[in-house]
Amino acid sequence: MADLSKIRNIGISAHIDSGKTTLSERILYYTGKIHAIHEVRGKDGVGAKMDSMDLEREKGITIQSAATYCMWGEFDINLIDTPGHVDFTVEVERALRVLDGAVLVLCSVAGVQSQSITVDRQMRRYSVPRLAFINKCDRQGANPDRVADQLREKLAHNPAFVTYPIGIEDKLEGVINLISMEANYFDGEGGSNIRVEPIPAELEGKAKELRHRLVEVAADYDDALMEKFLSDESPSAAELTEAVRKGTLSMKMTPVFCGSAYKNKGVQTLLDGITALLPAPSDVKNEALDQDHNEEKVTLVTDPAKDLVMLAFKLEDGRYGQLTYMRVYQGTLKKGDTIVNIANGKKVKVPRLVRMHSDDMNEIDQATAGDIVAMFGVDCASGDTFTDGNVRYTMTSMFVPEPVIELAVAPKDKAGLVSFSKALNRFTKEDPTFRVMRDEESHETIIKGMGELHLEIYIERIKREYNTEVTVGRPKVAFRETITQRSEFNYTHKKQTGGSGQFARVGGFIEPLPGDAVENYEFVDDIVGGVIPREYIPACDKGFKEAVIEGSLIGQPVVRVRVTIDDGATHAVDSSEMAFKTAAIMAFREAYSHAKPTILEPIMKLEVSVPDEFQGTVIGQINQRRGVILGTDSDMGYVTVESEVPLSEMFGYSTDLRSVTQGKGEFSMEFKKYQPVPRMIQEEMVKEHQKKRAEGK
């Protein structure tokens, strides 16, 4: 049986184009999982192992997180390579939800970029300890010291170098290992042979200074090391490793490794760092909620002998049906076992168990606590918890951001309708940020997602994987509505028909929720003295929930609203759940119009990087799009402009940026917040909506 202390479940995440997939490829090569290196945009047409989709290979980006496993020394490493593009952010969320540790990859030229900040925030959300790997130290303009400073300033990390480059840019020869105080050079084919030598004389001073800093940072987490530090003694490599590990696991320190995955330098020392410094499954505290005891928190034990608890964190439609990725937190899972889906109580027999190596599979007979495996033939949703039936625990699911963009789509011809529906069903199951709805007014199918690229990829996949041509409408922004002040309601619903009538009265008020509220809707029951009987309260809640689905300004969902009921009346014969639900809907509509409703639009955080000479043009362009400049940062002949811009103004931006910067401009964009649209624009939108409704009738 596997030794739990020798398992590492890690993810590799970073800003787009930092070299994550190239790094994963090298890790697989050095651990013997693959026998030849292929580049992401390689001329051999093979593409990187971890980019298994044709689309990924063509675009040179990672779209789906890919899982694999390998061995380094006596350690088992389960590795997930995640996408860097913000449109596929849920892939990062779901990977980090089940991983114990992570490697944050940074480009040594560009440093901490907008998506690095997002990924870091996600790691904090799931309390994932991480190492930083400063990649591309062979590139012109590489500056690892500046990147370490950015880790401190922009991400509030406490970084300390564990390895440092020997030479920089095209003079990169190897790395200094600051724990063992040796120089490591990577010779032979693919840099597989590690040559250990004394540190070059010209770098000795720098190495001593950096080791002193490493000891100083690590000493805060280890008393024995602190004593040595204060008495100016030099700790052994084992003592220092132990202290750095404690600091890393507490998430109060970030060990920094350097190298160039593309030039095959520094990856093996990073692997040593992953196994020595990142947590084993048993080092991480995982909690579940006990459904039999009022959702009481239970700490799961990484013990193969305990009751089975595992989480389905990713679904994929493979060649042989639905493939479900599982993280086993407790207990043992064997082929042929019967497991229970706690979400719906369904029992499932485990037909096949596999370990994934990107898109290849290796059959296994059993999996134990700490493993990441995949199963076929298990119908479930992403985020479902499975047990052996002895306990009814659920794991908390991952955070799923709201979609911000929508498109009307339809198959080009009727014959493609079945395939089109199949594709949409499959994608909504696989990706919680991809939503499908039907617009009742226009009778169109609307797909919603995280950005233009996100939806573009799915439309392309419908064409390729389902041979169905799709017609696509213009992209639309997912607006929201909200209220800006408190408004009372007191509504009586009366209806007299033959036989028993309908009667219900609800009184109370609606008010805005604070801006930092997690929920978009809150219901408060302040009824006293039974003026509305208890059995009708849920019907009121249901009515209000239904009312917030569509606001009266432009028919978009209403967010950030609290409804309080504190009065009402009932009739012995004519009151019913239906009557109270209807009264609640009408009461909300009545109060809504007096609560100064406003339209909210998604605001994106935009980061544009261009050569200095285009700075004025780019800022002018952003201002034209109602953007607000937050700051500019100039470095090495390039300027980075940070701003906030309404998503509705960003369509076609990439073409405009390319044309004004002679193709040299790059940008990244991610959702930041919702904020009210300007008054004039709101009036136009309301008029447009009313006109549409009148035409529809």
Side-chain angles (χ1 to χ4, degrees):
M1 205 177 83
D3 175 357
L4 275 174
S5 66
K6 297 281 191 279
I7 292 179
R8 297 289 178 270
N9 292 318
I10 61 150
I12 294 187
S13 6
H15 184 90
I16 193 163
D17 266 354
S18 302
K20 290 182 307 302
T21 303
T22 306
L23 176 61
S24 305
E25 195 76 0
R26 298 304 186 272
I27 288 175
L28 293 178
Y29 178 70
Y30 296 130
T31 54
K33 283 299 282 190
I34 56 174
H35 302 296
I37 293 173
H38 298 289
E39 301 310 336
V40 174
R41 289 191 178 88
K43 302 216 168 23
D44 57 7
V46 177
K49 175 68 191 169
M50 299 298 273
D51 283 348
S52 57
M53 277 168 71
D54 291 344
L55 267 169
E56 293 180 307
R57 290 175 178 173
E58 280 167 36
K59 291 187 182 280
I61 61 168
T62 302
I63 293 167
Q64 291 184 328
S65 48
T68 186
Y69 65 97
C70 52
M71 284 204 71
W72 182 245
E74 51 190 24
F75 287 87
D76 272 307
I77 300 176
N78 287 311
L79 176 86
I80 297 185
D81 171 28
T82 62
H85 199 288
V86 65
D87 284 13
F88 307 106
T89 192
V90 75
E91 289 286 335
V92 185
E93 289 280 349
R94 61 166 131 221
L96 290 176
R97 170 66 187 83
V98 298
L99 293 170
D100 304 323
V103 178
L104 175 63
V105 183
L106 299 160
C107 167
S108 85
V109 183
V112 171
Q113 294 164 279
S114 62
Q115 192 61 15
S116 326
I117 298 170
T118 306
V119 167
D120 182 66
R121 197 170 57 234
Q122 291 169 321
M123 289 178 185
R124 284 176 204 268
R125 182 181 290 137
Y126 301 109
S127 302
V128 177
R130 69 286 223 195
L131 313 176
F133 180 65
I134 300 177
N135 193 18
K136 304 191 177 184
C137 288
D138 60 309
R139 290 265 303 273
Q140 198 176 345
N143 187 341
D145 294 293
R146 189 176 59 96
V147 181
D149 290 342
Q150 288 182 344
L151 271 171
R152 191 175 295 108
E153 290 153 18
K154 290 191 176 182
L155 298 180
H157 280 219
N158 185 8
F161 283 105
V162 174
T163 68
Y164 193 77
I166 300 169
I168 207 78
E169 298 179 342
D170 55 355
K171 295 186 177 65
L172 177 70
E173 291 178 36
V175 297
I176 298 169
N177 182 334
L178 297 164
I179 290 181
S180 62
M181 285 302 269
E182 296 165 332
N184 292 343
Y185 298 93
F186 305 90
D187 303 333
E189 194 190 334
S192 310
N193 305 330
I194 302 170
R195 176 164 49 93
V196 179
E197 301 221 341
I199 295 168
E202 70 275 13
L203 283 171
E204 249 177 35
K206 176 80 176 173
K208 280 182 180 152
E209 180 194 317
L210 288 173
R211 189 176 207 256
H212 185 267
R213 156 89 187 142
L214 179 63
V215 174
E216 183 185 0
V217 173
D220 283 344
Y221 312 103
D222 191 296
D223 296 341
L225 190 64
M226 179 58 88
E227 277 177 33
K228 287 204 164 185
F229 177 69
L230 294 173
S231 55
D232 262 353
E233 280 181 60
S234 184
S236 70
E239 287 168 327
L240 185 51
T241 303
E242 188 49 38
V244 174
R245 185 166 203 266
K246 282 181 188 167
T248 310
L249 298 194
S250 70
M251 289 189 68
K252 295 198 173 93
M253 157 180 193
T254 306
V256 179
F257 291 77
C258 299
S260 163
Y262 184 60
K263 286 284 192 314
N264 311 318
K265 289 184 176 28
V267 178
Q268 295 97 317
T269 41
L270 173 67
L271 275 165
D272 290 339
I274 287 169
T275 53
L277 306 176
L278 286 178
S282 47
D283 294 323
V284 180
K285 185 182 176 187
N286 289 300
E287 290 185 326
L289 306 173
D290 190 343
Q291 296 305 312
D292 290 335
H293 293 93
N294 209 10
E295 300 216 331
E296 209 175 273
K297 280 192 173 170
V298 188
T299 300
L300 298 176
V301 188
T302 314
D303 180 349
K306 293 267 185 194
D307 292 318
L308 176 72
V309 180
M310 57 187 188
L311 179 74
F313 67 96
K314 179 176 159 63
L315 312 180
E316 224 175 71
D317 227 10
R319 289 166 295 198
Y320 311 103
Q322 182 176 302
L323 184 65
T324 308
Y325 286 81
M326 296 278 191
R327 161 77 202 255
V328 186
Y329 283 96
Q330 187 176 287
T332 301
L333 174 71
K334 292 187 176 138
K335 210 158 105 173
D337 279 358
T338 300
I339 52 174
V340 179
N341 184 345
I342 300 301
N344 55 23
K346 282 188 182 163
K347 290 185 174 178
V348 190
K349 197 168 175 180
V350 180
R352 274 178 81 191
L353 264 184
V354 294
R355 285 188 96 171
M356 297 303 294
H357 173 36
S358 185
D359 56 345
D360 300 336
M361 311 164 207
N362 301 322
E363 299 268 347
I364 53 170
D365 291 325
Q366 70 167 40
T368 56
D371 278 339
I372 291 177
V373 291
M375 304 196 294
F376 280 105
V378 177
D379 188 26
C380 66
S382 196
D384 285 356
T385 306
F386 285 83
T387 73
D388 50 13
N390 296 335
V391 287
R392 288 186 64 238
Y393 293 168
T394 56
M395 309 277 304
T396 51
S397 198
M398 62 238 161
F399 168 79
V400 177
E402 283 297 307
V404 292
I405 185 171
E406 49 191 59
L407 282 175
V409 290
K412 261 199 180 144
D413 50 55
K414 288 268 190 330
L417 199 58
V418 176
S419 303
F420 177 72
S421 306
K422 262 190 194 160
L424 294 186
N425 275 338
R426 171 188 155 192
F427 298 152
T428 43
K429 240 182 171 179
E430 284 182 13
D431 180 352
T433 56
F434 178 77
R435 317 266 170 92
V436 179
M437 59 166 281
R438 188 167 166 74
D439 185 329
E440 291 308 328
E441 279 180 23
S442 62
H443 303 300
E444 291 175 316
T445 301
I446 308 287
I447 57 172
K448 299 182 177 187
M450 300 307 297
E452 283 184 274
L453 180 67
H454 188 206
L455 297 183
E456 195 186 295
I457 293 285
Y458 278 121
I459 287 159
E460 191 58 39
R461 286 182 65 188
I462 294 172
K463 287 179 189 170
R464 292 182 184 207
E465 294 170 32
Y466 290 87
N467 292 327
T468 304
E469 285 296 322
V470 179
T471 54
V472 181
R474 277 198 53 180
K476 279 198 338 220
V477 170
F479 290 100
R480 296 282 180 265
E481 296 184 27
T482 193
I483 55 174
T484 54
Q485 65 179 39
R486 178 179 155 138
S487 169
E488 314 266 333
F489 58 80
N490 186 358
Y491 187 85
T492 306
H493 173 61
K494 256 191 202 161
K495 204 171 179 190
Q496 203 58 50
T497 49
S500 64
Q502 286 186 20
F503 178 89
R505 180 169 79 79
V506 289
F509 57 90
I510 62 174
E511 61 186 338
L513 275 169
D516 58 354
V518 181
E519 297 298 326
N520 275 322
Y521 162 82
E522 196 180 295
F523 175 68
V524 180
D525 167 18
D526 271 351
I527 293 293
V528 282
V531 285
I532 297 179
R534 296 255 53 86
E535 67 264 26
Y536 296 141
I537 303 289
C540 297
D541 184 19
K542 234 184 221 167
F544 291 124
K545 267 189 187 141
E546 204 167 292
V548 298
I549 290 170
E550 197 178 299
S552 56
L553 293 177
I554 54 165
Q556 291 296 329
V558 181
V559 296
R560 295 186 209 152
V561 64
R562 179 188 288 132
V563 183
T564 302
I565 53 168
D566 54 16
D567 194 14
T570 179
H571 185 281
V573 179
D574 292 351
S575 285
S576 65
E577 283 190 14
M578 191 64 209
F580 273 99
K581 183 179 162 189
T582 308
I585 292 172
M586 303 316 285
F588 184 86
R589 286 182 188 161
E590 181 187 276
Y592 188 66
S593 54
H594 301 297
K596 288 218 173 141
T598 182
I599 298 170
L600 299 173
E601 62 179 341
I603 301 294
M604 310 304 279
K605 181 179 160 200
L606 175 69
E607 197 173 273
V608 188
S609 179
V610 291
D612 283 343
E613 70 258 33
F614 300 113
Q615 180 174 344
T617 322
V618 164
I619 288 177
Q621 223 183 25
I622 293 169
N623 288 333
Q624 274 176 347
R625 293 172 181 263
R626 291 199 286 127
V628 177
I629 307 291
L630 300 178
T632 58
D633 185 15
S634 201
D635 188 56
M636 312 281 303
Y638 263 75
V639 67
T640 301
V641 182
E642 271 190 39
S643 61
E644 287 179 0
V645 193
L647 175 62
S648 56
E649 304 286 341
M650 288 305 292
F651 296 124
Y653 180 67
S654 54
T655 314
D656 288 0
L657 179 69
R658 272 200 295 270
S659 62
V660 299
T661 60
Q662 299 161 11
K664 294 174 188 161
E666 286 182 356
F667 78 97
S668 69
M669 183 169 77
E670 68 171 304
F671 171 69
K672 180 82 188 282
K673 60 186 175 188
Y674 269 101
Q675 98 183 11
V677 301
R679 176 67 44 200
M680 278 176 61
I681 293 177
Q682 172 157 326
E683 284 166 10
E684 274 173 38
M685 288 172 74
V686 171
K687 261 190 212 156
E688 181 70 24
H689 179 66
Q690 285 166 348
K691 190 175 146 196
K692 258 190 182 166
R693 290 199 79 141
E695 284 168 2
K697 282 173 187 170

